[in-house]
Amino acid sequence: MDNLKERVTIYEVAKASGVSLATVSRVINNSSTVKEETKKKVMSVIKKLGYKPSGLAQALATNKTTNIGVIIPSANYVYISNMLNGITEVCKNRGFSVSLYTTAHSREDASVCLERVIKSHVDGVIVFDDELNDEDLEIFSNYSVPVLAINNSINGEKNGSIAFGYEHLFKKIIQDYFIKGDKDITFLHVHNAGRLLRRIENVFIKTSLEADKEYNIMNCDDSYTRTYHDFMEIFKQKRKMYVIAYRDSIAAAVLNAATDSGLSTPDDVEVLSIIGTKYSSIIRPQISAMHIDMQEVGRRAVYMLIDLIEDRLFERQYKFESVYVKRDSTKY
Amino acid sequence: MDNLKERVTIYEVAKASGVSLATVSRVINNSSTVKEETKKKVMSVIKKLGYKPSGLAQALATNKTTNIGVIIPSANYVYISNMLNGITEVCKNRGFSVSLYTTAHSREDASVCLERVIKSHVDGVIVFDDELNDEDLEIFSNYSVPVLAINNSINGEKNGSIAFGYEHLFKKIIQDYFIKGDKDITFLHVHNAGRLLRRIENVFIKTSLEADKEYNIMNCDDSYTRTYHDFMEIFKQKRKMYVIAYRDSIAAAVLNAATDSGLSTPDDVEVLSIIGTKYSSIIRPQISAMHIDMQEVGRRAVYMLIDLIEDRLFERQYKFESVYVKRDSTKY
DNA sequence: TTGTACGCGTTATCAA
DNA sequence: TTGATAACGCGTACAA
C-alpha cells in the first residue's frame, strides 16, 4: 500500500519508455503521427505506470478546461434537477465536466459565486437563475466566457439564450377562464421566487384589468407546510377559489387543504400550477399545469453552449413553448 | 466592447504597479508581510485591471484545486437532489466548488466517469452510488484522492464513509406487521436500483423466513406510469396487498392504482415507501415511509471529506439512522 | 518520425 | 520588505 503515491507525470512516462515527453504527448493526444512501434511501447508504459494526464496542466497549456459551469438558485427543486440531469447527460457524452454553483436567492452570494466561476476557468456557463441581471452577467463578457442564459435575457457576442414561453399560454388560460369560469382568481405571490413568477404575475394583472375582472394577489411562503396551514385557515371563510400556484408542491398544499376542509375540486376550489413536473399527475387530484420538458431544456442548453464555445452557434435564441395540460384540479 | 479581451495575468498587474510578480502573489494570498503602501497600490491596480487569479495555475502550483467531485447515479431523484443541495451549501461556505459526475446505472460508464474524476484533480470525492464497488473505488486510493463513500463501504487510509441505517428499522417494521397485519407482503424488486434495495430485499426475505411467513417478490419498473398500469391490472384480481416500494413515486403509483380500482387504503391496500421524501406527506393518502434527512447527509459528507483532505478526520464512520413515520398508507 | 525549448499563470524558495 | 528564479505538468512550434 503506497499511501503517498505521487501522481505519475508525463516526464516519467517518457523516461520509462525511452522517448521524449513530446512523443508521449503526441501519443496521448493522437496528434501528429507517431511510429506504430513507439506508440505501442509508450501506451504499454502508460498502462503499466497508471499514468493519467493532468487536466490542470493540459488546461493551462491549451487554455481549455472542457469544464462548464452551471449556475442555479438551488438544486432542490424537481424541475431544476430535471434540467440538471439533461445537462449532465449531454456533457458526459461530449466530454465536458460540470461544475455546480448555487446562488440560493441571495444577492451578496451572487457576486461571490460569479467570481468563483471566473476563477475556475470554465469554458462556458449555463445560467439558470433569473435573479441575476444583465449587469451581473456582464462579468462573463469581460472575461470572454461564453454564457447561455436560460429564462434570462443576455446580450453580447459570445452569448446565447433559451427563453420559456409561459406568458402567452398563461394569458390564454386566464382569458378562457374569465369567459367560462365562475370564480375569482387568486394569484399566489411568492417573495423572491424570481422574475419569471413576477412576469407571469404582471400578465395576470394586465389580463385581469383588460377583462375588467376582479383579481387577488396573495402572499404565500415557498413551503408546502406553511401554505397548507394558511389555506386551512382561508378555507374556513372562503369556499370558492381559483388559485394559481408557482409549483406543484404549493398547488398540492392548496388542494390538500381544500380536501381536508371538505371542499371539492374543481367545483369549489380550482388550482393551476405554473411549473408542472411529473408530480402534477402523481398528486390527486391531478394538477392542471403548464409544462416544459426541463430535461430537454438542459440538453439543448449544452448543445448551444458548446456551439457557442466552438464559435458556430448561429441561432442564438431558442424558445421552449409551454404546454397546458388540463387535469382534475381545474374545470377548463 | 473588447470581445477578445484576454485574461489579465499576475505579470501584467506586476508591471502596471511597478513591483515583481512575487509581490503581487503575496498580496493576493496575504502571505508574508507586504508594506501597507505597496499593498494598497497593488490592490488598486488589481481592481482597475479586473485581475482574477487563475484557479488553474494556482492549482498547478499548489497541488490543491479546492474542488470536490460528487458521483451520483443521476440527478433526477428528489432524495439525491436534496443531498446535492446540502453538499453545495457547505461547499460554498468552505470555498470549495463542486463537480458533478453521473454514472446513470451503467457499468461501462462508471470507469469512464472515474477516469475523468482523476483527470480533473479534485481534492476529494463524495461517492453516492452503491453500484460502484470497492474495486472501482480503489482507483482513488491509487491516486491518493480522499473518498467519502455514502451508503457504500470503502477501506483505505484516506477514506471515510457514511452509512444508512435502514435494515434494522425495516426488519422491525416487517416483524411488527407480521404480528399485527392481515395481508401478505409484496416486495417490489426494481432491476438495477442499487445495492441498498438489494440489501433491504434480503432483509425482507430473511425476516419472512424466520417468521415462517409467505412473501412475494414482484418485478417492477422504476417508472410511475408503468407501475401504475401494472397495478391497475393486478388489482383486478388481487384485492388485498401490503406493498413495499423503493421510493415515493412508486408507492404513489400503487396507491393511485388502488384508489382508481375502488380499493381503500389502508384497509385493502397498504403501501410502505423505503426512501421517504417530502412527497411522502404531500401525496394522498400520505405515505408511510422511512426517512433520512438527505440534506443533512450531504452537509455531513462535505464536513467529513474536508476533514479527510486536511488529515484530521478521526471518526471515519458515521451512521444516519432512518426514522419510520407511519402515515395513512399503512395500518401500523 | 522524433527531440528541444519555450510558454501557460501561479506559488515558493532563495537571496538581496 | 522585495525580487529573481525554479518548479507545477503539459502542449507545441521549430528544428533535426
Side-chain angles (χ1 to χ4, degrees):
Chain A
M1 280 278 162
D2 336 57
N3 67 354
L4 265 186
K5 197 167 202 165
E6 292 299 322
R7 217 180 162 103
V8 179
T9 73
I10 195 171
Y11 185 75
E12 303 172 47
V13 175
K15 204 164 61 179
S17 37
V19 297
S20 77
L21 54 127
T23 303
V24 179
S25 175
R26 287 177 189 115
V27 171
I28 55 182
N29 292 312
N30 259 324
S31 47
S32 53
T33 46
V34 180
K35 194 163 62 172
E36 197 58 30
E37 195 185 321
T38 45
K39 189 170 178 172
K40 288 209 166 164
K41 190 170 58 184
V42 171
M43 298 228 289
S44 82
V45 172
I46 286 179
K47 199 154 287 178
K48 193 165 71 185
L49 265 50
Y51 166 72
K52 303 242 186 295
S54 158
L56 241 45
Q58 287 181 322
L60 194 59
T62 59
N63 201 26
K64 279 180 179 30
T65 53
T66 61
N67 185 16
I68 73 161
V70 174
I71 302 180
I72 52 180
S74 154
N76 234 350
Y77 299 113
V78 173
Y79 67 104
I80 290 184
S81 61
N82 289 161
M83 188 187 73
L84 210 49
N85 214 47
I87 290 175
T88 54
E89 177 195 322
V90 177
C91 276
K92 192 165 60 175
N93 292 337
R94 301 296 217 87
F96 281 80
S97 63
V98 176
S99 291
L100 207 57
Y101 296 87
T102 54
T103 55
H105 297 297
S106 136
R107 289 293 304 153
E108 320 84 76
D109 240 44
S111 68
V112 177
C113 166
L114 299 181
E115 301 263 324
R116 286 194 188 163
V117 177
I118 297 294
K119 269 201 70 158
S120 79
H121 264 261
V122 292
D123 289 342
V125 188
I126 293 175
V127 177
F128 180 43
D129 189 332
D130 64 0
E131 288 292 359
L132 261 33
N133 54 45
D134 285 16
E135 209 171 314
D136 292 326
L137 296 183
E138 209 176 325
I139 190 174
F140 292 120
S141 306
N142 292 341
Y143 293 87
S144 53
V145 176
V147 176
L148 193 123
I150 300 179
N151 187 32
N152 197 146
S153 73
I154 180 167
N155 307 310
E157 313 278 315
K158 269 293 213 172
N159 299 325
S161 67
I162 289 179
F164 289 162
Y166 278 118
E167 283 106 318
H168 189 67
L169 178 60
F170 179 70
K171 182 171 186 167
K172 277 182 60 180
I173 296 171
I174 300 301
Q175 287 177 327
D176 196 46
Y177 190 82
F178 281 148
I179 295 170
K180 306 189 212 158
D182 58 346
K183 309 185 186 71
D184 282 354
I185 302 183
T186 299
F187 190 98
L188 262 33
H189 172 93
V190 179
H191 187 61
N192 260 350
R195 287 194 293 205
L196 174 60
L197 183 57
R198 291 202 291 276
R199 287 204 316 261
I200 292 179
E201 187 174 326
N202 288 335
V203 172
F204 171 64
I205 294 173
K206 225 173 90 184
T207 309
S208 300
L209 291 176
E210 282 172 13
D212 206 28
K213 294 281 184 181
E214 292 276 339
Y215 68 87
N216 313 287
I217 309 285
M218 183 182 294
N219 287 312
C220 159
D221 275 343
D222 194 4
S223 141
Y224 169 83
T225 311
R226 294 280 285 270
T227 305
Y228 173 81
H229 288 301
D230 288 350
F231 272 87
M232 286 302 284
E233 287 305 311
I234 289 167
F235 288 138
K236 284 181 184 165
Q237 321 227 343
K238 216 155 183 290
R239 312 290 290 182
K240 294 269 180 188
M241 288 182 90
Y242 180 111
V243 178
I244 297 168
Y246 191 34
R247 59 176 104 258
D248 287 342
S249 56
I250 301 299
V254 178
L255 287 170
N256 286 339
T259 305
D260 295 350
S261 303
L263 300 176
S264 75
T265 301
D267 283 336
D268 299 320
V269 175
E270 297 182 67
V271 179
L272 168 71
S273 172
I274 295 174
I275 301 187
T277 68
K278 73 167 183 174
Y279 288 97
S280 303
S281 48
I282 292 182
I283 287 162
R284 296 301 176 87
Q286 294 187 42
I287 304 170
S288 299
M290 296 197 284
H291 287 268
I292 284 180
D293 182 345
M294 293 302 288
Q295 191 148 341
E296 191 56 33
V297 170
R299 292 194 198 99
R300 171 70 55 171
V302 178
Y303 289 139
M304 289 177 71
L305 182 59
I306 292 180
D307 281 351
L308 211 46
I309 291 170
E310 295 172 352
D311 241 320
R312 54 162 197 230
L313 180 68
F314 306 117
E315 298 293 338
R316 292 297 179 75
Q317 317 270 342
Y318 196 93
K319 187 161 187 175
F320 278 85
E321 287 298 341
S322 62
V323 173
Y324 177 59
V325 181
K326 184 222 160 294
R327 297 197 181 84
D328 307 327
S329 70
T330 58
K331 287 186 185 168
Y332 313 105
Chain B
M1 279 278 162
D2 336 56
N3 68 353
L4 266 187
K5 197 166 203 166
E6 293 299 322
R7 217 178 161 103
V8 179
T9 71
I10 195 171
Y11 186 74
E12 303 172 47
V13 174
K15 203 163 62 180
S17 38
V19 298
S20 78
L21 57 130
T23 303
V24 179
S25 175
R26 286 176 189 116
V27 171
I28 56 183
N29 291 313
N30 259 324
S31 45
S32 53
T33 46
V34 180
K35 196 162 59 172
E36 197 60 31
E37 196 185 319
T38 45
K39 190 171 180 173
K40 288 208 164 162
K41 190 170 58 183
V42 171
M43 297 228 289
S44 82
V45 172
I46 286 178
K47 201 154 284 177
K48 194 165 73 185
L49 266 50
Y51 165 73
K52 303 243 187 293
S54 158
L56 242 45
Q58 287 181 323
L60 192 60
T62 59
N63 201 26
K64 280 181 178 28
T65 54
T66 60
N67 184 17
I68 73 160
V70 175
I71 302 180
I72 52 180
S74 155
N76 234 350
Y77 299 113
V78 172
Y79 67 102
I80 290 185
S81 60
N82 289 160
M83 187 187 72
L84 210 50
N85 213 48
I87 291 175
T88 55
E89 177 195 321
V90 176
C91 277
K92 192 164 60 174
N93 292 338
R94 302 294 217 89
F96 281 80
S97 63
V98 176
S99 291
L100 208 58
Y101 296 87
T102 54
T103 54
H105 296 297
S106 136
R107 288 294 304 153
E108 318 85 75
D109 240 44
S111 67
V112 177
C113 166
L114 299 181
E115 300 264 325
R116 287 194 188 163
V117 176
I118 297 294
K119 270 201 68 158
S120 79
H121 263 264
V122 292
D123 289 342
V125 188
I126 293 175
V127 177
F128 180 44
D129 189 333
D130 64 0
E131 288 291 1
L132 260 33
N133 54 44
D134 284 17
E135 208 171 315
D136 292 326
L137 296 183
E138 208 176 326
I139 190 176
F140 292 119
S141 304
N142 291 341
Y143 292 87
S144 53
V145 177
V147 176
L148 193 123
I150 300 179
N151 188 32
N152 197 145
S153 73
I154 180 168
N155 308 312
E157 312 278 315
K158 270 290 214 173
N159 298 326
S161 67
I162 290 180
F164 288 163
Y166 278 117
E167 282 107 318
H168 188 67
L169 179 60
F170 179 72
K171 182 169 187 170
K172 276 183 60 181
I173 295 170
I174 299 301
Q175 287 178 326
D176 196 45
Y177 190 82
F178 282 148
I179 296 170
K180 308 190 212 159
D182 57 347
K183 310 184 185 72
D184 282 355
I185 302 183
T186 300
F187 190 98
L188 261 35
H189 173 92
V190 179
H191 187 60
N192 261 350
R195 286 194 292 206
L196 174 60
L197 184 57
R198 291 203 292 278
R199 287 205 315 262
I200 293 179
E201 186 174 325
N202 288 336
V203 172
F204 171 64
I205 294 172
K206 225 173 90 184
T207 310
S208 300
L209 291 177
E210 282 172 12
D212 206 26
K213 294 281 184 181
E214 293 276 338
Y215 68 88
N216 313 287
I217 308 285
M218 183 181 294
N219 286 313
C220 160
D221 275 344
D222 194 4
S223 142
Y224 170 83
T225 312
R226 294 280 284 271
T227 305
Y228 173 81
H229 287 301
D230 287 351
F231 272 87
M232 285 303 284
E233 287 305 312
I234 289 167
F235 287 138
K236 284 180 184 164
Q237 321 228 343
K238 215 153 185 290
R239 314 290 289 182
K240 293 269 181 189
M241 287 182 90
Y242 181 110
V243 178
I244 297 169
Y246 191 33
R247 57 177 105 260
D248 287 341
S249 56
I250 300 299
V254 178
L255 287 170
N256 286 339
T259 307
D260 295 351
S261 303
L263 300 176
S264 76
T265 302
D267 282 337
D268 299 321
V269 175
E270 296 182 68
V271 179
L272 168 71
S273 172
I274 297 173
I275 301 188
T277 68
K278 72 167 182 174
Y279 288 96
S280 302
S281 48
I282 292 182
I283 287 162
R284 297 301 176 89
Q286 294 187 45
I287 304 170
S288 299
M290 295 196 284
H291 287 268
I292 284 180
D293 182 346
M294 292 302 287
Q295 190 147 342
E296 191 56 33
V297 170
R299 292 194 198 99
R300 171 70 55 173
V302 178
Y303 288 138
M304 288 177 72
L305 182 59
I306 293 181
D307 281 351
L308 212 45
I309 291 170
E310 296 173 351
D311 241 320
R312 54 159 197 233
L313 180 67
F314 306 116
E315 297 294 338
R316 293 297 179 77
Q317 318 267 344
Y318 196 94
K319 187 163 189 176
F320 278 86
E321 287 298 340
S322 63
V323 173
Y324 176 59
V325 181
K326 184 222 161 294
R327 297 197 181 85
D328 306 328
S329 71
T330 57
K331 286 186 186 168
Y332 312 105

